[in-house]
Amino acid sequence: VSELEEKKMVVKNIAGAIQYVQKIGYPITASPHFSEVIVSLGVARDEKELRNLLERALKLSLIGEVHLKSLWE
């Protein structure tokens, strides 16, 4: 697994996302899964911002998945 692949993940819940981000660190972008298009809702620099982004992203996702991506690739 390359370094780039390790810094991207699809999550289905807030707890899983927080656990993942604790391993790789901030800042993180969160994008709801719409279809083939991934649109970031913003950047989280701490857990409070991450929770807010994830709540919005999970509500907007058509299939209950959110793409997380480190900005330090």
Side-chain angles (χ1 to χ4, degrees):
V1 177
S2 74
E3 188 71 20
L4 179 63
E5 291 169 348
E6 290 178 9
K7 294 189 178 183
K8 294 181 181 180
M9 180 173 234
V10 175
V11 296
K12 295 185 177 193
N13 59 59
I14 292 174
I18 290 171
Q19 184 178 28
Y20 171 69
V21 174
Q22 286 174 342
K23 288 173 36 180
I24 67 163
Y26 294 94
I28 289 287
T29 62
S31 307
H33 188 278
F34 291 114
S35 60
E36 296 299 318
V37 178
I38 297 174
V39 178
S40 175
L41 291 181
V43 177
R45 292 172 184 80
D46 59 36
E47 187 174 324
K48 182 179 178 181
E49 290 179 352
L50 180 61
R51 285 180 181 276
N52 288 334
L53 277 177
L54 289 169
E55 286 174 7
R56 291 189 354 239
L58 285 167
K59 285 179 186 175
L60 292 171
S61 175
L62 297 176
I63 61 171
E65 292 181 350
V66 175
H67 297 261
L68 297 180
K69 180 179 174 185
S70 171
L71 293 179
W72 297 115
E73 294 184 324

